[in-house]
Amino acid sequence: MGSVLADARPEALVDRVEPRFRDGLECLLASIGSQAGLTGPGLRAAYRSLAALVTTQRQAAESLRSAPGTAVAPVARPIFVTGLHRSGTTLLHRLLARHPALRAPALWEQLAPADPADAAVLTSRAQTYVEEYYRVAPALPSIHFLDAYLPDECHRLLSVTFRSEIFEVRYRVPDYGQWLRGQDFTAASRYHRTLLRCLLRRGPGPPPAAGTPL
């Protein structure tokens, strides 16, 4: 699996992505390459970020092969929290997640829904990710607090299908955005459920750390 991250070249990523999601990755790569205006380091960082999503696809496929029952495991009827950006949806999401009868995937789970590594390793990686995020964007906590153990937006699962508006937030990719608005999200939504099934194989997961702010 690590070979995907080690060889994060555009052509290599397209060769390794699931065929049903190849069109989205191809469109995104083309738009990033011609419109995003990234520096060399920025472009390499973008490719590695996309490589991590391809790695998640491959890990999910392996999870389904090793435990075929995962593909049909029940997922309880979800509750959807929707709204405009920065309108309070994160607060509502985290308030709902405090209910003992509800299960909200934590950030560390969403960053590696099918990674076979130990949970302690994954939570440590997630916290390192948060620290790096804050180093690059130090003002982010004032509008969106991140923590490895707290629930977070499900775009982290949907983006694995390369059909997500989060890419328009991260990069200047108008061609990709235009393509995205013409897509059917049925397959992407079903794959989101697949990743939830992979994630739930680990069980309920650890609760938010005591005293962690919403």
Side-chain angles (χ1 to χ4, degrees):
M1 300 303 177
S3 62
V4 178
L5 285 171
D7 188 12
R9 295 173 297 117
E11 61 273 19
L13 298 183
V14 170
D15 288 343
R16 294 166 179 169
V17 73
E18 284 207 18
R20 56 181 161 164
F21 300 129
R22 184 168 294 167
D23 56 348
L25 177 57
E26 288 177 331
C27 182
L28 181 57
L29 286 169
S31 199
I32 287 175
S34 63
Q35 298 175 316
L38 297 175
T39 62
L43 200 58
R44 288 191 291 275
Y47 290 157
R48 286 189 64 81
S49 177
L50 300 181
L53 302 180
V54 176
T55 294
T56 294
Q57 287 189 2
R58 293 163 68 87
Q59 289 172 337
E62 178 57 32
S63 179
L64 296 177
R65 281 194 295 269
S66 62
T70 301
V72 294
V75 175
R77 184 177 179 181
I79 296 173
F80 295 94
V81 178
T82 64
L84 298 174
H85 298 294
R86 311 282 73 84
S87 62
T89 50
T90 298
L91 177 59
L92 176 58
H93 182 194
R94 291 175 180 171
L95 282 171
L96 289 171
R98 297 276 176 127
H99 194 289
L102 298 178
R103 168 75 157 85
L107 176 62
W108 74 269
E109 296 176 296
Q110 293 197 47
L111 288 173
D115 194 313
D118 184 77
V121 173
L122 298 178
T123 53
S124 177
R125 289 178 189 169
Q127 200 56 43
T128 299
Y129 165 87
V130 171
E131 292 167 2
E132 176 62 16
Y133 214 122
Y134 283 171
R135 186 189 67 79
V136 175
L140 181 65
S142 65
I143 61 172
H144 188 85
F145 181 80
L146 293 174
D147 186 277
Y149 290 97
L150 284 179
D152 213 85
E153 299 161 336
C154 66
H155 71 73
R156 300 181 191 284
L157 298 181
L158 192 61
S159 63
V160 178
T161 69
F162 301 102
R163 281 165 167 73
S164 172
E165 65 175 14
I166 193 60
F167 299 117
E168 292 184 274
V169 175
R170 292 176 179 167
Y171 315 112
R172 185 181 182 278
V173 285
D175 284 355
Y176 171 80
Q178 184 177 6
W179 171 86
L180 183 68
R181 279 177 272 285
Q183 298 307 301
D184 183 330
F185 278 75
T186 302
S189 297
R190 287 174 175 164
Y191 194 75
H192 180 283
R193 183 172 58 187
T194 294
L195 293 180
L196 287 176
R197 285 169 166 154
C198 292
L199 181 157
L200 288 168
R201 284 187 65 192
R202 298 193 189 105
T212 301
L214 294 173

